[in-house]
Amino acid sequence: MKQHPYQVVITDCDHGSIEEEKEELSPIGAELVLAQVREEEEVIRACKDADGLLNQYALLTRRVFEHLPKCKVVARYGVGVDSVDLKAATDLGIIVANVPDYCIDEVSDHAIALILSLMRKTAFFNAKVKSGQWDFHSGIPIHRIRGKTLGLIGSGKIGLEVAKKLSSFGVRVIAFDPYLKTNPQGIELKNFDAVLKESDFISIHCPLNDSTRHLIGEKEFKKMPKKPILINTSRGPIIDEKALIQALQEGLITGAGLDVLEKEPPDSVNPMLAMENVILSPHVGFYSEESISELKRRTAKNVSDVLMGRWPGSVVNQEVKGKTRAPMSG
Ligand code: NAD
């Protein structure tokens, strides 16, 4: 029987094929096992001999790690590492890696698709034409995009990409981002209230945390004299949804394009489901065939890098440096 120098276990994943992972790990001779386990005991049983883990949702607790004596690396599919007890991993010398940038193009394209669709009213007209109304007057007024102001809340990887792409439409870009030290090219950094006041479209690209939960609420909607279009492809709870619905009903904003909601999926009685000036999508911004393929490949590469003694592209628990189980170079 063929001996493998390493065993790598996928605890669980919701994608069909694991071809990319195999392609990435077979050159180092790793045996790849797809376990599809979620419960703590099952995870321990499936992973007890693993040198590395790929993980989606299964909780990797301190107890799990304490039962995995050979495990040197956990690579999480995607950005978030909520499923991993980072402190326990660090204490035990296990490197935790993620892939923070596999869908920048997809999310930025999605935000722009929502802006363009609301500005040109394509989703609105599509519904009208299919219900037998061939008359553009139902969509009046439509305004020219060139010359309008896009306000970004959060100007990191995705926000900057939206800015870059939408600039070619002749749009001025302003941004509020309290952590940006330098002014990114072509973007005017402003304070929060100035972005609310000056923007024709506001697009949210900051993370959800204690300081951004309900960042946009009743008070903020009253500070938007240009009645902007509001786009959220980040996380639902950044907008106070009750206040948003009221703002839409009172005409304080022109429309909303939302890939994320406070409650996903929305209740069937959510009034936004019946609003013609609201476009909803089911938290799909991250997805394309290419982004998922890239995610799978890069997650597996994070494991093969560590097993070969190389630091992976993105290490979440930097404090593990100096006490890793894997012998690392550099
Ligand atoms: P990033 O870390 O590169 O950028 C986030 C930016 O937000 C940073 O520049 C940060 O300084 C800024 N920020 C932090 N707190 C802020 C605040 N209070 N106000 C304004 N700005 C603030 O992240 P990214 O890769 O650009 O992703 C942005 C968000 O997009 C993620 O946090 C995630 O929630 C969301 N996202 C959604 C999908 C989807 O499928 N819809 C997919 C990937 C990411």
Side-chain angles (χ1 to χ4, degrees):
M1 207 176 70
K2 193 176 163 199
Q3 287 296 309
H4 294 280
Y6 308 106
Q7 187 192 67
V8 176
V9 177
I10 301 175
T11 57
D12 60 317
C13 65
D14 59 12
H15 47 262
S17 149
I18 56 165
E19 275 315 301
E20 287 88 344
E21 290 92 328
K22 276 190 196 146
E23 281 170 22
E24 202 60 49
L25 287 158
S26 62
I28 66 163
E31 177 195 16
L32 182 62
V33 179
L34 175 57
Q36 294 296 25
V37 286
R38 290 278 186 98
E39 296 303 319
E40 195 172 61
E41 285 310 318
E42 293 176 336
V43 175
I44 291 172
R45 221 173 305 126
C47 305
K48 64 182 186 335
D49 296 322
D51 295 280
L53 303 182
L54 281 79
N55 166 255
Q56 190 157 8
Y57 304 113
L59 292 184
L60 300 176
T61 60
R62 181 175 288 276
R63 181 155 177 274
V64 168
F65 285 135
E66 282 170 352
H67 285 80
L68 312 185
K70 293 168 73 182
C71 182
K72 299 160 190 71
V73 54
V74 171
R76 176 88 221 303
Y77 287 107
V79 187
V81 285
D82 311 355
S83 57
V84 183
D85 184 332
L86 284 180
K87 171 88 173 54
T90 306
D91 290 346
L92 294 165
I94 299 169
I95 296 170
V96 181
N98 67 348
V99 186
D101 55 353
Y102 69 100
C103 58
I104 312 261
D105 261 320
E106 283 72 15
V107 184
S108 57
D109 289 353
H110 201 85
I112 290 170
L114 292 170
I115 294 174
L116 296 182
S117 188
L118 284 159
M119 282 299 284
R120 295 300 312 161
K121 303 197 176 169
T122 51
F124 171 86
F125 283 127
N126 178 54
K128 293 286 176 209
V129 171
K130 287 180 177 173
S131 70
Q133 294 180 50
W134 184 267
D135 179 5
F136 78 87
H137 291 92
S138 60
I140 287 175
I142 288 180
H143 293 283
R144 181 181 282 171
I145 294 170
R146 185 172 298 281
K148 295 288 182 293
T149 298
L150 163 69
L152 300 172
I153 308 286
S155 191
K157 294 183 286 298
I158 295 171
L160 280 179
E161 202 57 30
V162 171
K164 204 162 76 188
K165 290 173 178 170
L166 212 59
S167 294
S168 67
F169 282 76
V171 164
R172 167 191 176 226
V173 184
I174 60 176
F176 168 66
D177 190 320
Y179 302 104
L180 267 197
K181 293 187 180 66
T182 51
N183 205 352
Q185 220 185 349
I187 297 182
E188 300 166 48
L189 285 181
K190 297 263 178 179
N191 65 38
F192 185 47
D193 282 0
V195 168
L196 302 182
K197 184 172 165 213
E198 294 178 32
S199 301
D200 298 288
F201 346 110
I202 295 176
S203 194
I204 298 176
H205 301 288
C206 60
L208 173 65
N209 55 39
D210 288 345
S211 65
T212 60
R213 187 175 298 276
H214 286 193
L215 186 67
I216 307 278
E218 197 182 338
K219 205 161 56 105
E220 287 68 33
F221 284 115
K222 293 192 171 132
K223 295 180 183 173
M224 300 178 181
K226 291 172 109 178
K227 301 185 194 301
I229 281 169
L230 180 62
I231 304 296
N232 191 4
T233 55
S234 192
R235 287 293 180 263
I238 296 171
I239 301 177
D240 176 346
E241 208 164 284
K242 253 176 78 184
L244 168 63
I245 290 166
Q246 198 179 336
L248 285 159
Q249 286 164 339
E250 291 175 2
L252 300 182
I253 60 172
T254 299
L258 309 171
D259 186 45
V260 288
L261 294 170
E262 279 212 272
K263 181 157 183 281
E264 297 175 4
D267 293 328
S268 59
V269 294
N270 188 320
M272 289 194 293
L273 294 174
M275 292 181 183
E276 288 181 320
N277 56 343
V278 174
I279 299 181
L280 303 171
S281 57
H283 201 148
V284 64
F286 68 95
Y287 168 70
S288 73
E289 287 297 309
E290 290 80 1
S291 66
I292 298 303
S293 177
E294 179 178 339
L295 174 64
K296 294 195 281 182
R297 196 172 296 284
R298 289 176 60 192
T299 305
K301 185 171 186 305
N302 282 341
V303 170
S304 69
D305 275 346
V306 172
L307 297 182
M308 291 294 96
R310 295 186 295 261
W311 285 100
S314 177
V315 175
V316 182
N317 57 342
Q318 291 287 338
E319 319 74 56
V320 79
K321 291 192 173 169
K323 53 176 173 178
T324 56
R325 273 185 187 167
M328 305 298 287
S329 57

